[in-house]
Amino acid sequence: MTCSTVLTGQDLAVAGGAPAPSVPVPQLEWSPCVRGSAFDCATAKVPLDYNNPSGRTIELAVVKRKATDPGRRIGTLFFNPGGPGGPGTVQMPQNYERFPREVRERFDIISWDPRGIGNSTAVNCFASPEEAADWSASKAAGFPVGEKERVAFIAAYKDLARRCEQRDPELLRHVSTTDTARDLDQLRRAVGESHLTYQGISYGTILGATYANLFPDKVRAMVLDSNIDPEAWTNHASDDNPRLTTFLRMGSDRTAAATLDQFLTLCGSTTTAHCAFSAGSPEATRDKFDQLMQKLRKHPVGAWTYAGTVADVVNSLYIVHPGWTDLAGRLQALWQGRVAEPSPLPPPPAVPNPNPYLGEEQGAAVLCGDSPNPRDPNVYHGLEEAAAARAGDAGRFWTWAVEGCSTWPAVAADRYLGPWNKPTAHPVLVVGTTYDPSTPYTNAQAMAKQLANARLLTHNGYGHTALINPSSCINTYTGRYFIDGTLPPSGTTCRPDTPPFSAPKPIGGATGGGGMAGTVS
């Protein structure tokens, strides 16, 4: 494994100081994604291994929406939707309207399916969709409850690891965040930009931080929204027997519990007309939720088990509108013993393959190869109980979210482990949401502190990412920063446009897709 890399012109100096072989710039041949689409698609060829650029190549699926005011166009904004495992060719078009209007006017917006994911050269450990579905059905939804389910859950992920190792072991070693950061720099070169303008949400923040430290003199503007603490991701640059999982190091269990508590408090503070699960007061609503979880442990409602419902709750906290209102309706249905209807998926965008295969192994290949997790499957039950003691049901969910890493067969060949404070050509804007069910606000504070030159912008609101949970205040500051580099004043705090359990204006699509159960997304 190489440790740190620094920029020397267009070539990379790898650990040890020898310059890496130069890599040809990909040729992007743009054409409308489908007839009449406002989005253009292209395919980029990149080396599987940047230390051996004349070896095997892989393909990246790329999507672009041109600036809507071409006369005032500034350049290209690259966007990563998170995950790991989020397909940018699907999620950028779904969420395009979420970007500030002035950003859409003045930038081409480009996203891509990272290597290993979706429509790019993808990790796929099954011979058919049926085989993948059978594997998924062999383990408990959400997380295992009881000894029998734990044994089956661990066995399922051992089986997944075995299948993946047999299918394409070389690819598994080259889907790291560092590899993707190098791909991003190749895409920057391919569109002729001298510097990178970038927005990354969730996992996209660790990708952005990696890029900023591999290519510090190439950063024009970078917004990192809903952050992962780099030290938590890398286990403080140590592979020695990590005591905790990635998500427990980040504090995902605690922040999910705090966000769930806010959901129940706000629900109980309003009427059933606004929140169907309200029991008339915050305390009564929290009690009602605990009673529902206990009931589901003994008597599932159709396919809705206790653990599957907890997973649905945590994931449904990501998007406040309409997610929180829809979640309240599902919980009330379960309370009444009725089978709840799952949330509808956002409409597929006008791209050639809007529903690519997004098996759990894609997010796992990135996360498990990149971020250290305990390698003994038998420690996860103890970790779960400790997390549950401090974070309740959410602690159980986030503990088991990465159990698959305990038997994963590959470690990334090229990982960036720090330092995280290389001085960048321009400052970075870090956005953190106070009640985020996945990436805690403390991680945004850590990111802003660890980067050499960053400003923290606080979204005093709810849900996972400020981009997907709109705040005109956040959009004003990010738009101004992207256009002319102006940072918000130190200590700036914004609020969401619409509080939970009130009717929002409909807009855009939703995140989702990819990753292991419970990955950051």
Side-chain angles (χ1 to χ4, degrees):
M1 274 174 296
T2 59
C3 286
S4 111
T5 58
V6 295
L7 189 77
T8 54
Q10 292 289 10
D11 294 328
L12 300 168
V14 295
S22 64
V23 181
V25 178
Q27 300 302 303
L28 297 175
E29 295 181 12
W30 297 103
S31 60
C33 292
V34 295
R35 188 191 295 270
S37 172
F39 294 90
D40 294 321
C41 287
T43 302
K45 274 196 163 52
V46 294
L48 175 70
D49 180 356
Y50 278 94
N51 290 317
N52 180 23
S54 59
R56 176 179 167 187
T57 59
I58 57 173
E59 292 190 339
L60 303 177
V62 189
V63 67
K64 173 173 73 174
R65 178 72 182 261
K66 288 178 186 163
T68 58
D69 187 352
R72 298 168 66 231
R73 179 184 176 276
I74 292 170
T76 301
L77 168 66
F78 287 90
F79 172 67
N80 178 277
T89 62
V90 177
Q91 292 182 358
M92 187 276 273
Q94 280 177 335
N95 289 298
Y96 174 75
E97 297 294 331
R98 306 270 188 181
F99 292 93
R101 181 181 49 79
E102 62 272 26
V103 171
R104 287 180 274 132
E105 286 172 351
R106 305 195 64 183
F107 289 90
D108 296 346
I109 300 179
I110 287 182
S111 193
W112 75 108
D113 293 3
R115 53 173 62 214
I117 310 301
N119 293 307
S120 294
T121 300
V123 174
N124 183 344
C125 304
F126 299 97
S128 68
E130 294 74 25
E131 207 176 89
D134 287 345
W135 174 82
S136 195
S138 73
K139 61 183 182 60
F143 53 87
V145 178
E147 176 88 23
K148 188 176 170 188
E149 285 191 1
R150 284 195 293 274
V151 169
F153 198 88
I154 289 166
Y157 281 104
K158 276 185 181 165
D159 178 47
L160 180 65
R162 191 165 52 245
R163 291 170 186 265
C164 292
E165 194 168 26
Q166 287 168 355
R167 294 278 287 198
D168 193 345
E170 192 185 17
L171 181 60
L172 298 185
R173 296 178 65 247
H174 293 286
V175 291
S176 73
T177 305
T178 300
D179 292 316
T180 292
R182 300 196 199 290
D183 293 342
L184 175 55
D185 199 58
Q186 287 293 93
L187 294 174
R188 172 192 66 78
R189 296 172 69 196
V191 299
E193 295 286 0
S194 62
H195 289 77
L196 180 77
T197 303
Y198 172 81
Q199 181 158 3
I201 61 175
S202 193
Y203 165 77
T205 64
I206 202 72
L207 173 59
T210 300
Y211 184 96
N213 284 279
L214 287 174
F215 306 99
D217 65 344
K218 296 298 178 193
V219 174
R220 176 194 170 271
M222 183 175 279
V223 168
L224 305 180
D225 174 3
S226 286
N227 288 256
I228 296 173
D229 174 356
E231 296 286 7
W233 181 259
T234 61
N235 193 38
H236 297 272
S238 168
D239 288 337
D240 294 344
N241 266 335
R243 203 172 49 80
L244 296 174
T245 70
T246 304
F247 294 126
L248 296 182
R249 287 195 299 271
M250 286 166 56
S252 298
D253 57 330
R254 287 186 172 97
T255 196
T259 307
L260 173 57
D261 189 66
Q262 283 291 300
F263 167 86
L264 295 169
T265 297
L266 294 170
C267 178
S269 302
T270 189
T271 64
T272 53
H274 292 284
C275 179
F277 193 66
S278 176
S281 75
E283 191 176 333
T285 306
R286 285 195 288 269
D287 286 346
K288 182 178 174 181
F289 180 81
D290 291 341
Q291 287 173 44
L292 174 60
M293 293 304 112
Q294 285 166 17
K295 277 167 65 173
L296 289 172
R297 273 177 177 261
K298 294 177 185 139
H299 305 291
V301 178
W304 289 86
T305 61
Y306 155 67
T309 304
V310 171
D312 179 66
V313 167
V314 174
N315 287 317
S316 299
L317 294 172
Y318 278 41
I319 303 170
V320 175
H321 300 293
W324 285 28
T325 303
D326 291 351
L327 171 60
R330 285 197 297 283
L331 292 174
Q332 183 62 16
L334 293 171
W335 178 256
Q336 294 169 341
R338 293 184 288 114
V339 174
E341 289 296 317
S343 277
L345 293 170
V351 295
N353 185 13
N355 293 299
Y357 175 71
L358 296 169
E360 282 192 36
E361 65 269 34
Q362 294 183 1
V366 180
L367 177 63
C368 302
D370 226 42
S371 181
N373 281 277
R375 298 294 292 179
D376 177 2
N378 297 313
V379 306
Y380 283 76
H381 179 44
L383 290 173
E384 172 198 3
E385 292 304 326
R390 68 171 177 255
D393 301 310
R396 301 186 189 281
F397 170 80
W398 279 116
T399 301
W400 286 98
V402 289
E403 189 283 322
C405 292
S406 68
T407 48
W408 190 253
V411 173
D414 191 6
R415 287 189 298 160
Y416 185 78
L417 301 176
W420 299 97
N421 61 351
K422 303 270 187 72
T424 46
H426 297 97
V428 174
L429 180 57
V430 172
V431 180
T433 297
T434 48
Y435 288 102
D436 180 325
S438 173
T439 55
Y441 178 67
T442 51
N443 281 221
Q445 292 173 309
M447 178 70 87
K449 192 173 176 185
Q450 288 171 45
L451 295 175
N453 185 6
R455 176 68 47 84
L456 176 62
L457 174 60
T458 300
H459 180 223
N460 196 352
Y462 313 91
H464 186 48
T465 83
L467 180 73
I468 309 301
N469 294 286
S471 163
S472 303
C473 169
I474 294 282
N475 280 355
T476 297
Y477 284 118
T478 57
R480 193 178 300 158
Y481 166 75
F482 276 136
I483 288 164
D484 62 21
T486 303
L487 289 168
S490 187
T492 299
T493 297
C494 288
R495 295 189 174 278
D497 289 353
T498 312
F501 305 120
S502 54
K505 297 169 189 164
I507 182 170
T511 57
M516 300 171 68
T519 47
V520 184
S521 193

